Amino acid sequence: MSLLASQPGLLQALAGEMTPKFLASRSADGIPNVVPCTSITAAGDVEDRLILGNFLLRKSVRNLDSDPRVSVLVITTELEGWILQGDFEGWQRTGPYVDRLNSSDLLRYNAYTGIRNAGIIQVRRVLRAFRLPKTRVLADYLLARAFRPPALPADAVEMPLAVRRSFQPMTAIRVLAFIDGDSYPLTVPALSLQPAGERAMRCAVRECADLLEPLPAGAAVAASLLTLDVISFQVKGTWLGSRRLAGALTAGMAVTSVYAGGPPIPGQRVA
């Protein structure tokens, strides 16, 4: 049985055109990048192959072309999710993958354009399947406020007000990405991620905390969110460390750059 088929519900979630999915890549110098990529779906013709549309993926494209290592996080509206890792295998500029993705409702009826090409990812492992109890989301959101950021580095920047406001509602999907011990990007759910002032973020994580806990202070991290009205931003920075509190891992990051995730300026730095 394939890796994808061995996970109950995963293929169905991947088939959902509006199921939140995030793609994490890494730059040539090892900086993580993570963005929403809801076009990701199972190829169907090759075992454990995913395809994705090159649509609003400027930085991700550059990263994929320079380093094939990727992570994909899939999470449903019921907060059931999976963390995948794999390798990017190239672009299909014409052919059945491009035709299939362009015919989807997601891309056929968007106000901008179809995809330029279709990317191919071969999944190497399903690192984790998880379920986030909805009753715990509020508790973790409140617990995250107990984390007090230490002195911030000199290169920390002020997040624009629109970005801070987008990260405040609990209904938005948030994820964190970093480079793991195998040098692959790794993406974990962080629904409690919220501003800690103007230049830092904080969160409390229970499920998947064991994946995040070994991350040392000073490591490069990236965070992304997707709101119910399809607004997206990415913040990048440095990890401020973590500590255990009330059964959760509380942690923070200093923000050193902020990027718009969607139209009209996808991928453009805004702080």
Side-chain angles (χ1 to χ4, degrees):
M1 182 181 293
S2 73
L3 292 172
L4 299 181
S6 69
Q7 299 293 319
L10 176 53
L11 286 174
Q12 181 179 358
L14 284 166
E17 292 186 7
M18 298 307 294
T19 300
K21 304 155 195 165
F22 292 83
L23 172 68
S25 57
R26 53 171 290 162
S27 65
D29 54 353
I31 303 300
N33 188 80
V34 60
V35 295
C37 187
T38 54
S39 67
I40 294 174
T41 190
D45 60 342
V46 176
E47 199 170 82
D48 295 325
R49 172 177 286 184
L50 302 177
I51 57 174
L52 61 98
N54 178 5
F55 179 69
L56 308 179
L57 295 178
R58 297 179 183 180
K59 177 60 175 175
S60 298
V61 169
R62 293 195 295 271
N63 285 354
L64 293 172
D65 287 341
S66 65
D67 192 307
R69 292 170 285 193
V70 300
S71 174
V72 172
L73 185 142
V74 183
I75 185 167
T76 70
T77 55
E78 297 302 314
L79 303 185
E80 182 180 11
W82 300 265
I83 301 170
L84 318 176
Q85 288 180 314
D87 297 304
F88 178 72
E89 296 193 334
W91 300 103
Q92 183 186 90
R93 287 170 173 77
T94 60
Y97 293 162
V98 175
D99 295 342
R100 176 180 163 192
L101 290 168
N102 272 329
S103 66
S104 68
D105 290 345
L106 177 67
L107 293 168
R108 184 170 52 201
Y109 299 119
N110 77 80
Y112 296 90
T113 183
I115 65 169
R116 297 179 179 179
N117 39 47
I120 300 170
I121 293 172
Q122 191 65 30
V123 175
R124 303 302 180 193
R125 54 186 169 267
V126 179
L127 193 62
R128 182 69 54 86
F130 61 86
R131 181 181 291 274
L132 307 177
K134 292 184 178 181
T135 55
R136 196 174 289 165
V137 173
L138 174 59
D140 288 348
Y141 188 87
L142 296 175
L143 184 62
R145 297 182 181 181
F147 183 85
R148 296 290 183 263
L152 300 179
D155 59 349
V157 301
E158 181 179 333
M159 293 178 284
L161 180 59
V163 176
R164 299 200 305 272
R165 285 178 172 171
S166 294
F167 271 97
Q168 287 172 348
M170 288 186 294
T171 52
I173 301 295
R174 307 159 172 86
V175 301
L176 278 168
F178 54 94
I179 306 303
D180 72 7
D182 294 324
S183 298
Y184 270 78
L186 176 55
T187 314
V188 298
L191 270 62
S192 63
L193 190 69
Q194 59 190 268
E198 298 175 339
R199 300 188 298 151
M201 303 287 286
R202 58 191 173 190
C203 64
V205 177
R206 295 177 194 269
E207 288 74 13
C208 305
D210 60 306
L211 300 176
L212 193 58
E213 194 164 16
L215 190 66
V221 291
S224 181
L225 94 159
L226 183 64
T227 68
L228 291 177
D229 47 356
V230 201
I231 293 173
S232 175
F233 290 103
Q234 179 179 194
V235 297
K236 295 186 178 183
T238 54
W239 195 237
L240 295 173
S242 61
R243 66 185 180 94
R244 287 280 179 174
L245 180 65
L249 188 73
T250 60
M253 64 178 287
V255 176
T256 57
S257 57
V258 183
Y259 301 85
I265 52 171
Q268 182 171 317
R269 183 170 179 173
V270 296

